[in-house]
Amino acid sequence: MRRALACAAAPLSRSAARPRAQEPLFDEEFQRKLEYLALVSRRVFSGAMKAERRTKKTGSGVEFADRREYVAGDDFRHLDWHAYGRFDELLLRLFEEQEDLSIYFLLDSSWSMGFGSGAKLRHAKRLCAALAYVGLANLDRVAIVTAGDRVTGRMPPTRGKARIFRVFRFLEAVSPDGDTDLGAAARAFAAQHKRRGLAVLLSDLYDPAGFESGINALRYSRFEPLVLHIVEPADRAPLLKGDLLLRDCESGEEREVTVSGRVLARYGQAYDAYLESVRRFCTAKRVSYFAADVRVPFDELILRLFRRGGFLR
Amino acid sequence: MHFFGISTTLLLQAGAGLAAVVVALYILRLRRRPASVPFAKLWQRVLRDKESSALFSQLRRLLSLLLQLLLLGLLLLALADPRPSAPAAGARHLVVLVDASASMKATDVGPQGAAAAGPAGAVASGPRSRLELAREKVRELGRSLSGADAMLVAQMDAALTPLSSMTSEPAEIEQAARRLAAVDVRAALAPALRFALDALRALSRPEIVVVSDGALGEPSDAAGPVDLGDVPLSFVPVGKGGRNVAVTGFAVRRYPLDKSRYEVMLEATNAGDEPEDVELELYGDGELSDIVALRLGPHESRSRFYPNLSGASRTLEARIALRGGGRDVLPADDRAFALLPERRRARVQLVTAGNTYLEAALLLDEYLEVVTVPPGRYPAAGAFDVTIFDSVGPALAPHSGHVLYLNPSGEHLPFKLGPEIKSARGRNVGFDELDAHSPLLRHVSLGDVNVARAHVLEGTKEDRAVGRSERGALLLQGRRQGTRFVALGFDIRESDLPLRIAWPLLLLNVISDFIEEDIGYVSSLRTGDVWHVPAPGQAQTGRLRLPDGSEQVVPIKDGRAVFLGRHAGFYTLLVREGAEERTSMFAANMSDPVESAVKPATELRVGARQAGELAGFAVGARRRWWIYLIGAALLITALEWLGYHRRVTV
């Protein structure tokens, strides 16, 4: 409770305005934009139940994938007679398997996401809802998990556009709680979800144990991580000055500091370096990474994401 | 350095206490404000680099505290109002002598200005006087002092009165200017200059400034001409006009042998450059008794006699005015005052075996009640104003009054009888020396009196020999225990004195002097002189009521009240003796043709030196350190505020 008050007590650090609680999170304007985004994304999704995303598994799809030698018991309808004519060998044609994609949204709901005005969490919710709608519109299975240092909430996989309102209700009920431990949260998530798929991590990546642990946990669990790094300008340039006792809103760790212009400049540099380290790590591990500035409208962010790829194929 | 504000002890105590408060507040200010951040780890990276500058940060905190203490020190020092103990080299020192003589009352310099407050803050209305202008000049001088300059303001009239110390304090100078007041006397320049020279001794850049209309006395006195040495002299002239008529003489005297009648002498003067038509008025006991029109030429004085007057019992007043309603710039000399002493019957006890000449002389004054007593039956019943011992000298009985000894003898005399002297062939005894100023000898000529035989009279050193032969005093005057006496060392019947008119005059002069009815001295005293007014009774002090109604305690010495008179008009002396308070009145006049000549002078000369114009004064900054201290404190406050908000001094 104390930490909640501390993280919400933005005026102490003068970092941001209070959350505009009275604004609805998913208003009509937001829903109109969702429809637009779904239309834009339609040409890239496919699935097994007529979902529109292909997998690399060979199966009963119509797309030729590969050949192998015929063995007794194979379906002779798939014999490649052209290859027999050329190579005088009986070869079986293999086809790609088409099945629906599981999209998991791992939403960081720790205290740091709710710090100040709560703009990061709010923005993350909107991004999550928008991407979930795109997935639902493309008949993918969408699930949402909220976590801080553990899984704190779970919306089971669902499909179909009509389920978006369930998504809305779930996300509206999310409030910041707990410290950040992405590694533990990702491991717990992986243990709870056997079906692999795309794991979209929406977080500010303020993990004292290091952001790498969470992303690696997803990779090692054979999920396909996509990192949406939620950034807020107030985090880079806080309105702090003078003799202060800085307190971490999650760990409660305190540190005396005298903040001057110089110190603020150095802090900005440290913050930029931190963002760059995240980017470089994701690039090195071939993890899709996208920095989502809270100042940029969610729809524009998603369109940029579409253009860059990684979420749509 | 001297502190003119709070004392050094209080300064130190307040400084210690407030410094402790400042340190305590500063320590409280060092408490840090808590602030939440979303990710402290980022700050740790920043603060790791800052560890090395912790010492510098502490030093900046200390700098801020030192600035606070410096600020406190400046403010306290400003409160203490420090000033240099010695005047700065080159500081000017002025003595400003302001002429407060009667001519400075002339109203010829225009209407009142905005700042024309005079004595006790009263703001006068109507035309402005020369003294008002002089007051403004003094104020201007005070405002023009710069740096460590200082000035002393003194009022110059019959005496020199310092009104301030050698100061640069505007408040003190203003107070001195307010206290300036013109009086009905002539200004004495010589003693004023001597005072100024004494006041400026050993001071840097001394200077004397005289603010006057030029109607000053000679710059010399009993000690000789005043030598200014190297001290510069400046003259600030005031006054413009010169049109003035005045009563410059007013005298009254009773007729010696008919004291119910009197005659008046009045002198009118036109001090202007143009002829004037004037009216002279004479008032007796407030009633107009005579009015006459005169035409006076430029600078003309004319006397007028009023003989054989009667009717007035007490006060006489003369007034002069311009005919046609013209304005006289100096009203102070348009009135003169005189007092007729009360006529009362004096009781005279004559102790004699018979003396026709003596008894006949006493019959001449109808206001004398004479009781003749043979020597063997002295004293007579009752109280007497005067007792005349004729050829006897008994012990003085109470209620005998003052005593006249004629041909004294006996052992109870208040003086010593010296050897007998006789006229010889070719060498007569007579008065070889006479005190012509003695009231006993007014209108009396004794120089050719021949005495057959006489005794020399030997008195004390306080006694006064009014008439002396070559062998000693023959007419002695003195006082013993409050009782006055006059002694004549010979029998008048052994001289030719009774055959002269001098004899009854001498006798009546003595009696009049005893009972304070001096027929020649009755009119008025002159302002500017030290008066010795006869005081009734034996008291040591009395109260003198001045013409303006105010009262002043005056000392009484040897039966006379001593007072420096500065104002014309009627005075009342009140002397308390037991339960009874006895009063006496007298009049005083200016009667000074020099003061009435109000045409201002354009230059002033002291010896061979001519006074220069006042120069070298301009409004300048005063060297008041507290102003600079406050300025420094404000500057440091601004710098500290800026440094704190710029995080320079934390």
Side-chain angles (χ1 to χ4, degrees):
Chain A
M1 183 62 178
R2 182 174 59 83
R3 287 182 192 172
L5 289 175
C7 289
L12 281 175
S13 62
R14 296 182 291 166
S15 61
R18 290 220 175 256
R20 296 172 291 182
Q22 61 275 20
E23 274 194 23
L25 192 57
F26 307 116
D27 54 7
E28 289 183 8
E29 178 69 20
F30 176 83
Q31 294 172 28
R32 274 199 297 276
K33 289 181 180 178
L34 289 188
E35 228 8 271
Y36 170 73
L37 291 172
L39 284 174
V40 170
S41 68
R42 189 174 296 282
R43 65 181 181 86
V44 285
F45 273 164
S46 62
M49 296 178 67
K50 304 306 176 186
E52 298 176 2
R53 173 177 280 275
R54 299 186 182 89
T55 71
K56 292 297 185 188
K57 286 173 61 177
T58 56
S60 56
V62 296
E63 293 288 332
F64 172 74
D66 201 351
R67 297 184 184 87
R68 67 173 173 83
E69 286 188 2
Y70 175 83
V71 293
D74 289 334
D75 188 351
F76 58 86
R77 290 179 296 176
H78 298 302
L79 282 172
D80 189 346
W81 294 111
H82 292 290
Y84 179 72
R86 286 198 302 220
F87 303 118
D88 201 21
E89 287 186 31
L90 289 175
L91 298 172
L92 198 68
R93 292 171 61 147
L94 300 176
F95 296 92
E96 288 184 350
E97 182 71 32
Q98 292 190 347
E99 62 179 19
D100 54 343
L101 179 66
S102 289
I103 305 177
Y104 300 96
F105 292 97
L106 191 58
L107 176 62
D108 180 358
S109 62
S110 62
W111 294 120
S112 63
M113 287 292 285
F115 181 79
S117 62
K120 285 186 291 189
L121 183 59
R122 187 181 177 83
H123 198 61
K125 287 181 184 179
R126 286 191 151 198
L127 284 173
C128 179
L131 290 172
Y133 185 78
V134 169
L136 291 172
N138 288 284
L139 301 178
D140 286 321
R141 293 158 66 87
V142 169
I144 303 175
V145 173
T146 61
D149 53 355
R150 64 191 189 284
V151 173
T152 56
R154 182 169 177 273
M155 188 192 81
T158 188
R159 60 198 300 174
K161 285 170 60 173
R163 301 303 173 112
I164 188 62
F165 294 100
R166 189 179 173 187
V167 172
F168 289 164
R169 284 195 296 272
F170 177 79
L171 289 173
E172 281 174 347
V174 173
S175 58
D177 185 26
D179 299 343
T180 304
D181 188 345
L182 297 176
R187 284 190 291 275
F189 158 75
Q192 293 172 4
H193 298 84
K194 299 302 178 187
R195 191 183 175 106
R196 298 297 182 255
L198 178 66
V200 180
L201 176 62
L202 301 105
S203 171
D204 54 9
L205 302 180
Y206 287 155
D207 189 346
F211 62 89
E212 299 90 341
S213 59
I215 297 172
N216 283 336
L218 292 174
R219 287 176 53 235
Y220 298 156
S221 302
R222 292 186 292 140
F223 284 91
E224 187 180 344
L226 189 154
V227 177
L228 285 183
H229 190 180
I230 312 299
V231 296
E232 185 177 15
D235 286 354
R236 187 195 182 281
L239 299 177
L240 299 175
K241 210 166 193 182
D243 298 326
L244 302 172
L245 180 66
L246 296 183
R247 184 181 298 134
D248 190 294
C249 71
E250 290 185 358
S251 64
E253 179 188 341
E254 293 180 341
R255 180 65 185 264
E256 291 184 353
V257 64
T258 299
V259 180
S260 63
R262 275 190 186 176
V263 170
L264 281 176
R266 280 205 288 268
Y267 172 81
Q269 292 170 2
Y271 183 88
D272 292 339
Y274 184 74
L275 294 190
E276 183 61 23
S277 67
V278 173
R279 190 190 306 276
R280 291 172 70 87
F281 173 83
C282 292
T283 303
K285 303 301 178 185
R286 298 186 188 281
V287 172
S288 296
Y289 169 83
F290 197 80
D293 194 320
V294 298
R295 293 174 297 181
V296 180
F298 78 95
D299 50 338
E300 186 177 329
L301 277 172
I302 290 174
L303 288 175
R304 289 183 196 172
L305 181 64
F306 288 169
R307 280 192 286 273
R308 275 248 312 261
F311 187 80
L312 302 176
R313 297 197 187 220
Chain B
M1 184 187 300
H2 295 299
F3 294 103
F4 287 78
I6 59 176
S7 65
T8 308
T9 306
L10 185 59
L11 180 71
L12 292 173
Q13 290 173 349
L18 289 173
V21 171
V22 167
V23 171
L25 288 176
Y26 197 79
I27 290 173
L28 286 175
R29 196 173 79 165
L30 286 177
R31 289 177 57 189
R32 297 170 181 273
R33 291 174 288 130
S36 288
V37 292
F39 194 38
K41 198 173 176 183
L42 283 176
W43 287 98
Q44 290 173 2
R45 298 180 189 180
V46 176
L47 297 176
R48 238 191 336 262
D49 299 334
K50 271 190 57 55
E51 290 297 336
S52 60
S53 63
L55 177 61
F56 181 63
S57 174
Q58 289 180 9
L59 287 176
R60 290 196 301 182
R61 288 201 179 87
L62 184 61
L63 174 62
S64 181
L65 177 62
L66 290 177
L67 281 177
Q68 299 281 333
L69 292 174
L70 177 62
L71 192 64
L72 174 67
L74 288 173
L75 289 174
L76 284 176
L77 207 55
L79 279 176
D81 192 11
R83 298 184 199 178
S85 55
R92 297 176 78 163
H93 293 87
L94 279 70
V95 172
V96 180
L97 302 174
V98 182
D99 182 0
S101 63
S103 61
M104 294 293 282
K105 290 186 178 182
T107 55
D108 59 344
V109 291
Q112 291 289 350
V123 178
S125 59
R128 193 160 66 147
S129 68
R130 293 177 180 179
L131 188 75
E132 287 291 336
L133 183 60
R135 188 176 289 121
E136 284 304 311
K137 298 289 185 185
V138 170
R139 289 190 176 117
E140 279 178 23
L141 269 176
R143 286 192 292 267
S144 301
L145 293 177
S146 61
D149 295 349
M151 65 186 272
L152 182 152
V153 181
Q155 174 167 313
M156 178 172 58
D157 50 57
L160 193 288
T161 306
L163 299 179
S164 75
S165 60
M166 186 66 72
T167 181
S168 59
E169 284 294 324
E172 190 175 348
I173 294 170
E174 171 62 27
Q175 189 179 17
R178 282 172 178 260
R179 289 170 57 190
L180 288 167
V183 290
D184 301 329
V185 299
R186 185 190 301 187
L189 180 60
L193 291 175
R194 294 193 193 282
F195 165 82
L197 291 171
D198 287 340
L200 292 170
R201 195 169 312 214
L203 295 179
S204 63
R205 299 180 66 190
E207 189 170 340
I208 300 175
V209 179
V210 176
V211 184
S212 170
D213 56 4
L216 301 167
E218 289 297 318
S220 65
D221 54 11
V226 176
D227 181 14
L228 294 177
D230 296 330
V231 179
L233 176 68
S234 301
F235 176 54
V236 179
V238 294
K240 289 190 297 189
R243 188 185 187 192
N244 185 39
V245 293
V247 177
T248 52
F250 189 46
V252 177
R253 68 176 182 180
R254 293 188 182 279
Y255 290 113
L257 299 181
D258 185 2
K259 293 177 185 174
S260 65
R261 294 186 174 274
Y262 52 91
E263 64 177 5
V264 173
M265 188 282 294
L266 190 154
E267 181 184 73
T269 299
N270 175 15
D273 296 330
E274 299 293 327
E276 299 286 356
D277 293 314
V278 300
E279 276 185 354
L280 279 176
E281 299 170 345
L282 184 65
Y283 291 80
D285 292 337
E287 298 288 331
L288 181 66
S289 60
D290 188 71
I291 182 169
V292 63
L294 296 175
R295 185 171 177 84
L296 298 173
H299 304 285
E300 180 188 355
S301 292
R302 192 183 302 175
S303 298
R304 182 172 174 81
F305 288 91
Y306 298 82
N308 210 19
L309 297 179
S310 64
S313 62
R314 200 72 180 124
T315 61
L316 292 170
E317 182 178 343
R319 298 178 188 176
I320 190 170
L322 294 172
R323 294 184 71 188
R327 195 168 76 88
D328 183 346
V329 298
L330 186 61
D333 57 4
D334 294 346
R335 298 170 70 185
F337 308 90
L339 206 63
L340 290 164
E342 287 183 56
R343 292 291 300 139
R344 65 182 181 86
R345 297 184 78 81
R347 296 199 72 212
V348 179
Q349 180 177 215
L350 177 60
V351 182
T352 180
N355 189 327
T356 303
Y357 300 112
L358 179 56
E359 293 167 13
L362 290 173
L363 290 175
L364 292 176
D365 190 344
E366 62 182 350
Y367 280 86
L368 295 179
E369 181 182 335
V370 182
V371 175
T372 304
V373 179
R377 296 177 68 178
Y378 170 76
F384 296 91
D385 298 303
V386 179
T387 296
I388 301 175
F389 291 121
D390 180 28
S391 302
V392 294
L396 194 63
H399 307 296
S400 294
H402 303 294
V403 183
L404 171 63
Y405 294 93
L406 300 174
N407 189 30
S409 64
E411 297 176 348
H412 301 285
L413 299 176
F415 48 86
K416 186 178 174 185
L417 271 183
E420 185 181 74
I421 53 176
K422 294 183 180 179
S423 292
R425 187 183 301 276
R427 196 172 181 81
N428 290 336
V429 174
F431 291 99
D432 298 309
E433 291 177 27
L434 290 165
D435 182 2
H437 296 290
S438 172
L440 303 183
L441 300 184
R442 191 166 285 119
H443 311 299
V444 171
S445 175
L446 297 178
D448 54 354
V449 172
N450 297 299
V451 181
R453 185 174 59 150
H455 279 92
V456 172
L457 305 177
E458 297 175 0
T460 63
K461 60 180 179 181
E462 286 80 25
D463 296 340
R464 191 176 176 186
V466 180
R468 299 174 62 88
S469 72
E470 64 178 2
R471 302 283 299 274
L474 296 180
L475 180 61
L476 188 67
Q477 181 183 34
R479 182 189 291 265
R480 298 288 184 271
Q481 297 173 346
T483 300
R484 298 170 61 194
F485 72 88
V486 174
L488 188 63
F490 55 90
D491 191 335
I492 59 172
R493 291 165 294 190
E494 294 184 346
S495 71
D496 59 0
L497 182 58
L499 304 178
R500 303 170 183 272
I501 191 60
W503 162 238
L505 288 177
L506 175 63
L507 182 63
L508 295 178
N509 280 351
V510 171
I511 294 173
S512 297
D513 189 56
F514 283 157
I515 62 174
E516 299 156 10
E517 279 194 3
D518 186 340
I519 61 173
Y521 188 63
V522 71
S523 54
S524 64
L525 304 174
R526 183 172 172 176
T527 57
D529 294 336
V530 176
W531 303 335
H532 295 83
V533 180
Q538 309 290 329
Q540 300 297 313
T541 60
R543 286 182 298 121
L544 186 65
R545 188 173 295 148
L546 277 61
D548 60 0
S550 63
E551 290 190 0
Q552 192 167 336
V553 175
V554 294
I556 297 176
K557 186 173 173 56
D558 292 334
R560 293 190 179 261
V562 182
F563 180 70
L564 172 60
R566 288 188 163 107
H567 298 280
F570 293 111
Y571 289 74
T572 304
L573 179 64
L574 301 100
V575 180
R576 180 167 291 278
E577 239 186 335
E580 185 186 358
E581 188 170 65
R582 302 169 71 173
T583 62
S584 60
M585 282 184 68
F586 60 94
N589 291 310
M590 190 174 71
S591 299
D592 192 340
V594 173
E595 282 300 309
S596 295
V598 295
K599 185 174 181 182
T602 56
E603 62 178 31
L604 174 68
R605 278 192 172 275
V606 176
R609 185 194 296 187
Q610 180 172 338
E613 288 186 11
L614 192 61
F617 284 93
V619 175
R622 295 209 176 219
R623 196 167 301 170
R624 289 289 178 264
W625 290 0
W626 69 267
I627 298 173
Y628 303 114
L629 291 170
I630 293 290
L634 288 174
L635 180 64
I636 289 177
T637 301
L639 289 175
E640 203 274 340
W641 181 90
L642 201 65
Y644 179 77
H645 284 273
R646 290 286 183 270
R647 312 317 307 164
V648 173
T649 56
V650 186

